[in-house]
Amino acid sequence: MEHGGVKLSRRRNATYKGRPQWKGLLFMLPSLLGVGIFVFLPFLDVIRRSFCEAVTGRFSGLENYRMVFENTAFRLAAQNTLRFVGICIPLLLALSLGAALLLYGQIKYRQALKSAFLLPMAIPVASVVLLWKVAFHSQGLLNGLFHSLNLTQVDWM
């Protein structure tokens, strides 16, 4: 078998694909252990506890689930959630796609439109930066307070 002028052995290719990749699994092991310990085990414990009474811990079977499904507040919350997922999420995706296509098609005003969409994300970050600068500058509010109390000023930056 040739590939780009280089002969490849079928046997070599077949053994490579059939051999387990232990190195890759070893690299994934810490993440898998973390997910198992901090996500999977607590999830199993919640499922186990859902079949027990809250105070005594005695096994109650499906009684907890029957009470939840008979609760009108739960049914209203589930109905609102399903309505949100069925209406709002598709509408949001369609409007987002429409805005993206509008931005992509406008060659003349593309930069101005991108800036208009990204400006609301930049303003909070800039506000926090300015606030920290005012508070922690060498002539800022905290050092001014320290100076008025005859304390040593700190170079925060």
Side-chain angles (χ1 to χ4, degrees):
M1 172 190 288
E2 283 194 27
H3 182 69
V6 179
K7 282 190 172 184
L8 298 175
S9 168
R10 283 185 188 222
R11 185 175 183 188
R12 179 177 170 212
N13 198 14
T15 57
Y16 178 74
K17 287 183 180 178
R19 188 175 58 207
Q21 299 296 315
W22 295 109
K23 290 179 184 177
L25 291 175
L26 289 176
F27 279 112
M28 289 176 31
L29 188 62
S31 293
L32 291 175
L33 282 174
V35 167
I37 291 170
F38 296 110
V39 175
F40 191 63
L41 287 178
F43 180 72
L44 290 177
D45 186 51
V46 165
I47 291 174
R48 181 189 62 83
R49 289 176 188 234
S50 73
F51 293 105
C52 299
E53 292 181 7
V55 177
T56 62
R58 256 185 318 171
F59 182 75
S60 65
L62 296 174
E63 182 65 24
N64 291 337
Y65 288 99
R66 186 189 61 76
M67 285 189 325
V68 166
F69 286 118
E70 287 177 355
N71 188 339
T72 56
F74 172 79
R75 285 188 295 193
L76 180 63
Q79 184 181 12
N80 289 340
T81 300
L82 289 174
R83 187 178 302 145
F84 176 78
V85 168
I87 296 171
C88 294
I89 300 295
L91 186 62
L92 180 65
L93 288 173
L95 290 174
S96 300
L97 179 62
L101 290 174
L102 180 71
L103 271 175
Y104 187 73
Q106 294 292 327
I107 295 174
K108 186 175 183 182
Y109 301 109
R110 181 178 291 175
Q111 290 301 93
L113 288 172
K114 282 182 185 178
S115 298
F117 277 106
L118 294 176
L119 195 61
M121 289 189 290
I123 288 176
V125 175
S127 306
V128 169
V129 167
L130 288 174
L131 179 68
W132 277 74
K133 188 174 181 180
V134 165
F136 295 110
H137 193 264
S138 60
Q139 301 297 319
L141 293 175
L142 286 176
N143 278 331
L145 178 67
F146 287 170
H147 180 71
S148 66
L149 297 174
N150 292 327
L151 295 173
T152 306
Q153 293 182 347
V154 178
D155 184 15
W156 302 98
M157 299 291 184

